[in-house]
């Protein structure tokens, strides 16, 4: 079949009407004429790679509409999206083992308030070492330093609480003894 020369449209509306008439089969010889779609070699390769048929309505039993034909024509002419760069993927593995508690807040509290025999300060140093090991990715080293810091914090807390209780007992008994001695002295001066 020889292709008839088509007039070149000079406005957008004439161009759309020409595309519509080509898609509906009215361009070359009536309703029985075949539809000819020009494609570049790149878009033809893209169409061959895709698994969708050119006219999806022909396979489903539903006649294709103008919008469906227009979209399929645009895909056929433009081709599949082509990118120059290959697709890369990034995988980030986040392990749950890395959540080792370093007890740094507890160590800081013991350093400030219950620093008996400098145990709170030493526990704080081990907590900082544990945090550093965790940041590097050494989970076993971080766990080792964290367990040492926890042990030191427990001892600092126990000794600090015991010394605080002993101090309260000494102050209470001392104040009672001072009160008794002052009352005896007052009785002694009052008896003469």
């Amino acid at each position: 079949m020889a292709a008839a020369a088509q007039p070149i449209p000079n406005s957008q509306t004439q161009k759309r009407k020409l595309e519509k008439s080509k898609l509906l089969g009215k361009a070359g010889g009536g309703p029985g004429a075949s539809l000819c779609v020009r494609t570049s070699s790149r878009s033809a390769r893209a169409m061959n790679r895709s698994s969708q048929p050119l006219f999806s309505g022909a396979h489903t039993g539903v006649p294709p509409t103008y919008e469906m034909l227009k979209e399929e024509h645009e895909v056929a002419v433009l081709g599949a999206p082509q990118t120059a760069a290959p697709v890369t993927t990034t995988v980030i593995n986040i392990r749950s083992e890395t959540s080792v508690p370093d007890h740094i807040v507890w160590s800081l509290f013991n350093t400030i308030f219950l620093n008996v025999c400098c145990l709170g300060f030493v526990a704080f140093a081990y907590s900082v070492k544990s945090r550093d090991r965790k940041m590097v990715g050494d989970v076993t080293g971080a766990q080792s330093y964290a367990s040492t810091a926890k042990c030191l914090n427990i001892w600092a807390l126990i000794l600090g609480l015991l010394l605080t209780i002993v101090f309260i007992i000494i102050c209470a008994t001392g104040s009672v003894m001072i009160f008794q001695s002052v009352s005896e002295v007052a009785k002694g001066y009052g008896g003469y």
Side-chain angles (χ1 to χ4, degrees):
M1 281 188 175
Q6 297 288 332
I8 300 174
N10 53 6
S11 71
Q12 285 288 34
T13 57
Q14 288 178 347
K15 194 176 201 179
R16 287 185 189 144
K17 286 181 183 178
L18 183 61
E19 286 178 3
K20 183 177 179 181
S21 65
K22 282 183 180 179
L23 288 175
L24 293 177
K26 297 178 183 175
S34 64
L35 180 62
C36 178
V37 178
R38 287 187 199 169
T39 60
S40 65
S41 62
R42 181 175 55 169
S43 64
R45 280 184 269 132
M47 282 178 31
N48 288 339
R49 283 183 276 164
S50 67
S51 61
Q52 287 184 331
L54 181 60
F55 298 108
S56 60
H59 296 289
T60 59
V62 179
T65 62
Y66 169 70
E67 289 81 18
M68 289 172 54
L69 290 173
K70 185 175 180 182
E71 286 177 12
E72 290 172 356
H73 171 69
E74 289 174 359
V75 169
V77 170
L78 297 176
Q82 303 279 329
T83 59
V87 177
T88 59
T89 58
T90 304
V91 178
I92 299 173
N93 293 326
I94 299 174
R95 293 175 284 167
S96 61
E97 302 81 72
T98 58
S99 62
V100 177
D102 51 13
H103 310 292
I104 199 157
V105 176
W106 189 13
S107 300
L108 186 63
F109 176 80
N110 285 341
T111 302
I112 294 172
F113 297 109
L114 303 171
N115 199 13
V116 179
C117 299
C118 293
L119 287 177
F121 181 73
V122 175
F124 184 72
Y126 275 99
S127 295
V128 170
K129 285 182 179 183
S130 173
R131 181 168 283 187
D132 290 344
R133 290 287 93 198
K134 187 168 51 172
M135 290 297 175
V136 171
D138 182 15
V139 178
T140 57
Q143 287 173 343
S144 172
Y145 285 129
S147 67
T148 304
K150 182 179 179 180
C151 184
L152 289 170
N153 279 325
I154 290 171
W155 279 109
L157 183 66
I158 290 172
L159 289 176
L161 288 176
L162 284 176
L163 287 177
T164 304
I165 291 170
V166 168
F167 179 73
I168 291 172
I169 291 172
I170 289 173
C171 286
T173 57
S175 63
V176 169
M177 291 174 73
I178 290 173
F179 178 73
Q180 287 176 352
S181 63
V182 168
S183 64
E184 286 178 14
V185 169
K187 283 182 187 177
Y189 285 122
Y192 289 111

